[in-house]
């Protein structure tokens, strides 16, 4: 059985410091592939360096909405140049966040748009973060989708089925993280149960929010994706084996690793 952790912040200090150990734990758990996700220029560069050293890691480079006001004038140009590296398979994470309010909405929107523009120009899929702003995200995505088909994923999805359905119609994949395993997350599991088998992904979003039964453990790390996979397989009334195979195939398809 093979799992694919499609969203791991392996460049963050608490994971990077002991990366060989976390990669061993991942291998022992059957987590054979991971996407190392950048959140600003520096972490994107670190993710890419890690990918150069480990054959089962690929990178996503970009500027997180909460970092968008801090990004320097040249950072985006540098991100675009990193994106030409053969192990970069996605742009992001980008998107919008109205929960933390770390950057004005207009700044976040401009940042999100340039990721979408670059995704269309390069064919690289985009990894989308949405917190407390599903309507704004759908509006921005709709503008782009009217011009050309979108490739990407709604990561760590916690929205409604209506939002999920609209994202699926736009051609996006939906990815679920540890939060979907929490006791009070019946609503997230019921959305996950309805996502078509060829459009669902799993991730840890580590080092944050470890899944049940390791909830509260810090750092979360890629091996833990198996808990989320197992929980969602039960919610979907399918075998763990078939769900692992489907989510791994979907990730290979989206990130063009087939
Ligand atoms: Zn993330």
């Amino acid at each position: 059985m093979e799992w694919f952790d499609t969203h791991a912040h392996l460049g963050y200090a608490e994971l990077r410091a002991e990366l060989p150990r976390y990669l061993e734990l991942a291998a022992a758990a059957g987590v054979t592939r991971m996407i190392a996700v950048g959140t600003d220029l520096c972490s994107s560069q670190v993710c890419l360096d890690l990918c150069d050293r480990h054959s089962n890691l690929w990178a996503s480079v970009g500027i997180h909405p909460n970092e968008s006001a801090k990004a320097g004038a040249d950072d985006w140009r540098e991100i675009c140049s990193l994106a030409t590296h053969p192990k970069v398979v996605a742009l992001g994470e980008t998107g919008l966040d109205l929960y933390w309010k770390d950057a004005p909405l207009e700044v976040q929107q401009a940042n999100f748009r340039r990721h979408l523009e670059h995704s269309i120009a390069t064919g690289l899929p985009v990894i989308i973060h949405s917190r407390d702003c599903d309507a704004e995200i759908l509006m921005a995505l709709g503008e782009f989708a009217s011009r050309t088909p979108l490739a990407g994923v709604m990561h760590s999805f916690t929205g409604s089925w209506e939002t999920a359905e609209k994202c699926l119609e736009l051609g996006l994949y939906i990815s679920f993280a540890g939060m979907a395993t929490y006791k009070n997350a019946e609503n997230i599991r019921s959305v996950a149960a309805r996502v078509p088998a060829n459009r669902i992904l799993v991730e840890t979003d580590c080092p944050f929010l470890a899944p049940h039964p390791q909830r509260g453990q810090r750092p979360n790390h890629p091996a833990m994706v198996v808990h989320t996979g197992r929980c969602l397989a039960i919610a979907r009334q399918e075998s763990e084996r078939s769900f692992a195979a489907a989510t791994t195939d979907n990730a290979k398809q989206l990130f063009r690793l087939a």
Side-chain angles (χ1 to χ4, degrees):
M1 197 151 55
E2 290 186 39
W3 294 100
F4 195 136
D5 183 359
T6 61
H7 197 109
H9 295 292
L10 300 178
Y12 284 20
E14 56 196 305
L15 288 168
R16 193 174 31 146
E18 287 192 77
L19 192 64
R21 185 165 80 85
Y22 291 123
L23 293 181
E24 266 174 40
L25 290 170
V31 181
T32 51
R33 297 173 182 83
M34 288 145 263
I35 306 288
V37 178
T39 51
D40 60 10
L41 176 58
C42 178
S43 65
S44 296
Q45 178 69 64
V46 170
C47 287
L48 204 40
D49 291 345
L50 297 176
C51 292
D52 276 337
R53 293 205 293 276
H54 300 280
S55 60
N56 61 339
L57 301 187
W58 290 268
S60 179
V61 296
I63 299 170
H64 192 286
N66 295 344
E67 305 292 334
S68 57
K70 280 176 249 162
D74 291 334
D75 289 13
W76 176 246
R77 208 159 36 82
E78 292 282 327
I79 292 277
C80 293
S81 117
L82 292 181
T84 60
H85 188 288
K87 286 206 92 178
V88 171
V89 296
L91 297 170
E93 70 179 273
T94 180
L96 302 173
D97 189 316
L98 289 177
Y99 178 81
W100 290 106
K101 300 189 169 70
D102 286 342
L105 181 59
E106 313 80 70
V107 174
Q108 295 188 36
Q109 282 173 323
N111 181 58
F112 187 28
R113 285 208 181 89
R114 59 191 181 183
H115 285 75
L116 291 169
E117 289 285 3
H118 204 58
S119 168
I120 291 167
T122 58
L124 288 168
V126 68
I127 297 181
I128 301 166
H129 165 109
S130 173
R131 187 144 184 206
D132 288 357
C133 54
D134 286 353
E136 289 83 355
I137 289 273
L138 287 171
M139 199 185 293
L141 291 174
E143 272 173 41
F144 283 86
S146 64
R147 286 165 37 193
T148 177
L150 298 176
V153 52
M154 296 299 289
H155 112 88
S156 194
F157 192 79
T158 57
S160 65
W161 171 247
E162 289 65 35
T163 300
E165 210 174 17
K166 288 187 183 125
C167 293
L168 290 165
E169 277 164 19
L170 293 172
L172 302 174
Y173 289 71
I174 313 275
S175 178
F176 294 90
M179 268 188 287
T181 68
Y182 296 168
K183 208 178 201 169
N184 59 358
E186 200 48 60
N187 55 333
I188 305 179
R189 285 189 288 280
S190 71
V191 171
R194 295 173 73 176
V195 175
N198 62 349
R199 302 285 283 284
I200 189 166
L201 304 174
V202 287
E203 60 170 279
T204 54
D205 201 13
C206 59
F208 313 112
L209 296 172
H212 171 82
Q214 309 290 336
R215 185 173 183 177
Q217 185 177 311
R218 183 92 191 202
N220 184 13
H221 56 88
M224 305 256 216
V225 80
V226 301
H227 297 297
T228 302
R230 192 170 295 149
C231 170
L232 295 184
I234 293 168
R236 293 169 62 84
Q237 299 183 298
E238 65 175 292
S239 73
E240 210 177 310
R241 185 166 295 278
S242 81
F243 189 55
T247 50
T248 297
D249 280 355
N250 294 344
K252 287 184 185 169
Q253 193 80 33
L254 174 63
F255 299 114
R256 304 204 180 98
L257 303 175

